[in-house]
Amino acid sequence: MVAVAELPAWQDAEKMPIGRLLKWADKHADPDVRDQPARTRAAVAGLRKRYAADQKLTAITSESERLEARLAELAPAKRSCWR
């Protein structure tokens, strides 16, 4: 367990890398602090999955819009061929 005196020496806690903060919390003496890294990792994993899904959805939507625009360009040409 990490004693309070063994805390990493960071001038600005806001700039401390998340990975290092989670490792510190994993070894903390306080069980409430030790519980937080697992929840944080689960939340980050969930956010990464959602981000990946949104990226795929954006790509599919963009492709759909591109194909619809191309179809609209071709539709008048088809009609003029039948006249």
Side-chain angles (χ1 to χ4, degrees):
M1 298 299 152
V2 174
V4 175
E6 297 175 42
L7 295 178
W10 283 88
Q11 295 298 322
D12 185 355
E14 293 296 319
K15 293 181 181 177
M16 183 179 197
I18 296 295
R20 183 171 276 178
L21 182 63
L22 294 175
K23 286 178 185 177
W24 166 80
D26 282 334
K27 298 174 185 175
H28 201 279
D30 185 339
D32 291 334
V33 174
R34 283 195 315 269
D35 289 342
Q36 292 180 39
R39 290 193 305 269
T40 301
R41 288 181 182 101
V44 168
L47 287 171
R48 286 186 173 155
K49 281 184 180 181
R50 178 57 192 262
Y51 179 82
D54 283 0
Q55 290 297 101
K56 286 181 183 178
L57 181 58
T58 298
I60 291 168
T61 301
S62 296
E63 180 67 7
S64 174
E65 290 169 354
R66 187 188 68 75
L67 291 172
E68 286 176 9
R70 181 69 178 133
L71 183 60
E73 291 172 7
L74 295 174
K78 272 189 168 181
R79 280 190 230 134
S80 64
C81 290
W82 296 105
R83 291 185 184 174

